Amino acid sequence: MALKGIDIFKMSPKKNCKECGVPTCMAFSMKVAAGALPIEKCPYMGADVIAKLSEATAPPMKTIKVGDLSMGGETVMYRHEKTFVSKTLYAVSVSDTQENADAVFEELKTVDYERIGEREYAEFVFVKHDGDTDVFVEMAKKAAATGRQVILDVDCPVCAEAALETIKDAKPVLNGANAENVEKMNELAGKYGVVLGVKAEGLDALYDLTAKIEKMGNKNLILNVSTASIKEAFAEAVQIRRAAVKNTDRTFGYPTLVNTAALAPGDQSMQTALASLFTMRYGSVIVMESMSYAQALPLFGLRQNVFTDPQKPMKVDPGIYPLNGATEDSPCVITVDFALTYFLVSGEIERSGVPVNLLISDAGGYSVLTAWAAGKLSASTIAKFIKEADIGSKIKNRTLILPGKVAVLKGEVQEKLPDWNVIVGTREAVELVQFLKEFK
């Protein structure tokens, strides 16, 4: 089996290996090629061979770390081919000449919530150098104080070093290497151990500049796509991903930064629309002028859908969810843990205004009918959930409303839960509002 010109068989162990647990060199090689085993598991290969194989088997796009955040590492063009690896990250832009910068920082802090077990917030502050160096440094300090990661957008090496020295512990991204300052900027990135953002006019120039920086020994990079026009920005984002993933050209195998604040300055609606576009194709970091709830809710929902493994459906935690001020005397509605079902059902219950305890049972992340067909939602699983979650001691009301699509389960559930009054509810979530009001 050859992997980018390397014969794994010749390098793999010629005996049964007690370390990796595979009986032959062929099995070991196949597991390495499939990504099931790290090459480091083999104790018989030298460091030079391991380094060569590790580089050959690495994803075509390099994974770049900024603090606890990851960018890149992608292996496919489209989510349905396998899955996307690192979710798009969002940045809010402030300039050192901006009068309302403090208000932007405060708004940034307020948009921070949890959805289906994930924290949703803007991960970066993008600090743009447009004016005085001292003001820029102070703005960088304020940005670091928000607890977000910082991107310093500056092409002046002197100003960049002043800001880096001030917030060096925050390990900001230094975004500003271009053809004129590349040697000094690369030196600063190495000195402070930070990611270097690369800028150039046109793909050819960006490619050449990236190759030049790689020859300097720096492969801790993020590439800026064009801000000349939306068309050029989109074309470059797609072509960079295609060059890396399809053509395995590692010179373009880096995450990308898309500055929608520069593509549509002053137009928040357009920036939100562009952010949704580049969330799907193919921004690793997307910069916007603000991040209000009106912008965040649709973007974060889209991001969570796109960057969820299609083989692993989004689930909410099983348990009791009191809605509309529900108490232990309020009736119960039960449904499955599929995230979309939860949001539809909970939204309609909230719209009804009727206090209800929404019970979420573990159904493997399937929808109601799929869970029923797969045996994940049955009288036995419902009864087991009621007992294991100790619902009886937490809720006095003994009314249990089933999804209408599994009305066939009513008799069996009633037999297994004789103390409960089992009722068949509506087939569709949208019908719950009228049903609950009339039931009340």
Side-chain angles (χ1 to χ4, degrees):
M1 180 180 295
L3 208 161
K4 294 192 180 300
I6 301 172
D7 191 338
I8 301 179
F9 291 150
K10 291 181 179 179
M11 297 178 173
S12 58
K14 302 300 181 181
K15 62 182 80 175
N16 291 350
C17 181
K18 61 181 181 294
E19 293 294 328
C20 65
V22 293
T24 65
C25 62
M26 180 179 292
F28 177 81
S29 301
M30 291 178 68
K31 283 181 176 288
V32 170
L37 275 177
I39 191 67
E40 292 83 0
K41 289 283 287 184
C42 179
Y44 302 108
M45 291 188 182
D48 56 336
V49 174
I50 288 177
K52 195 173 184 180
L53 280 172
S54 296
E55 182 178 355
T57 57
M61 180 180 288
K62 187 175 176 62
T63 299
I64 300 297
K65 295 276 191 178
V66 180
D68 295 331
L69 305 173
S70 294
M71 302 176 286
E74 304 298 344
T75 60
V76 295
M77 288 292 292
Y78 306 106
R79 174 179 177 267
H80 66 264
E81 294 179 75
K82 188 176 180 182
T83 186
F84 289 151
V85 177
S86 300
K87 68 180 181 182
T88 296
L89 305 174
Y90 298 119
V92 173
S93 175
V94 292
S95 168
D96 53 17
T97 61
Q98 190 169 331
E99 294 181 359
N100 69 333
D102 290 338
V104 173
F105 288 136
E106 288 303 314
E107 183 181 57
L108 178 73
K109 296 176 185 177
T110 61
V111 182
D112 191 343
Y113 61 94
E114 186 174 304
R115 183 178 189 267
I116 320 179
E118 289 187 7
R119 183 186 176 195
E120 303 293 353
Y121 67 109
E123 291 85 0
F124 286 98
V125 180
F126 185 86
V127 184
K128 194 172 186 307
H129 176 50
D130 291 317
D132 184 75
T133 300
D134 292 336
V135 179
F136 176 65
V137 171
E138 286 302 310
M139 193 70 73
K141 287 172 62 177
K142 289 183 179 180
T146 64
R148 307 298 201 263
Q149 295 295 329
V150 179
I151 300 173
L152 299 174
D153 188 61
V154 52
D155 57 11
C156 169
V158 176
C159 302
E161 186 167 15
L164 284 169
E165 184 62 33
T166 302
I167 62 168
K168 58 185 176 183
D169 292 339
K171 295 295 180 183
V173 175
L174 177 57
N175 189 53
N178 56 42
E180 288 73 35
N181 64 17
V182 61
E183 289 83 4
K184 183 59 179 176
M185 284 296 199
N186 186 61
E187 181 184 328
L188 288 174
K191 176 181 177 181
Y192 290 97
V194 299
V195 175
L196 181 63
V198 185
K199 298 180 178 181
E201 294 296 328
L203 275 181
D204 291 341
L206 182 62
Y207 186 93
D208 293 341
L209 184 59
T210 304
K212 182 177 181 179
I213 296 173
E214 286 184 328
K215 288 180 181 178
M216 296 176 185
N218 188 355
K219 293 186 177 182
N220 197 24
L221 310 174
I222 183 169
L223 310 182
N224 285 248
V225 304
S226 174
T227 56
S229 69
I230 295 171
K231 179 180 178 180
E232 288 186 33
F234 183 74
E236 289 192 5
V238 172
Q239 289 178 59
I240 289 171
R241 172 67 65 89
R242 184 174 294 278
V245 173
K246 292 294 185 184
N247 301 333
T248 62
D249 189 334
R250 294 181 184 272
T251 301
F252 265 167
Y254 294 100
T256 55
L257 184 147
V258 183
N259 191 345
T260 67
L263 290 171
D267 191 338
Q268 294 184 8
S269 297
M270 178 58 77
Q271 288 178 31
T272 305
L274 291 175
S276 67
L277 170 67
F278 287 105
T279 295
M280 296 183 288
R281 299 285 187 277
Y282 289 102
S284 301
V285 178
I286 297 175
V287 182
M288 304 171 66
E289 288 178 335
S290 64
M291 184 61 77
S292 65
Y293 267 109
Q295 295 169 289
L297 292 175
L299 277 179
F300 293 158
L302 173 67
R303 176 174 71 175
Q304 199 166 43
N305 286 332
V306 171
F307 290 92
T308 299
D309 188 336
Q311 304 300 320
K312 298 177 182 178
M314 290 187 294
K315 302 190 295 183
V316 295
D317 294 331
I320 305 171
Y321 292 78
L323 302 176
N324 300 327
T327 66
E328 60 183 11
D329 296 315
S330 303
C332 299
V333 169
I334 190 166
T335 191
V336 293
D337 58 350
F338 180 43
L340 180 57
T341 299
Y342 166 78
F343 284 117
L344 289 172
V345 173
S346 63
E348 295 302 327
I349 291 174
E350 289 177 346
R351 197 161 66 89
S352 75
V354 178
V356 169
N357 288 301
L358 179 59
L359 307 184
I360 300 297
S361 64
D362 185 357
Y366 295 148
S367 62
V368 171
L369 283 179
T370 306
W372 173 70
K376 299 286 187 179
L377 180 65
S378 65
S380 298
T381 61
I382 291 173
K384 182 180 178 182
F385 165 71
I386 294 289
K387 291 173 183 176
E388 289 185 350
D390 199 18
I391 305 296
S393 66
K394 298 174 182 177
I395 298 175
K396 293 180 180 179
N397 192 304
R398 288 295 181 267
T399 300
L400 181 64
I401 302 173
L402 298 177
K405 288 184 177 179
V406 289
V408 67
L409 296 178
K410 179 182 185 302
E412 293 181 63
V413 174
Q414 189 67 75
E415 287 180 10
K416 293 184 178 295
L417 299 172
D419 297 334
W420 288 76
N421 177 28
V422 181
I423 296 173
V424 176
T426 62
R427 291 180 58 83
E428 302 295 339
V430 72
E431 299 169 344
L432 276 171
V433 175
Q434 183 177 351
F435 175 86
L436 291 174
K437 287 182 177 179
E438 292 176 353
F439 177 78
K440 181 183 177 181

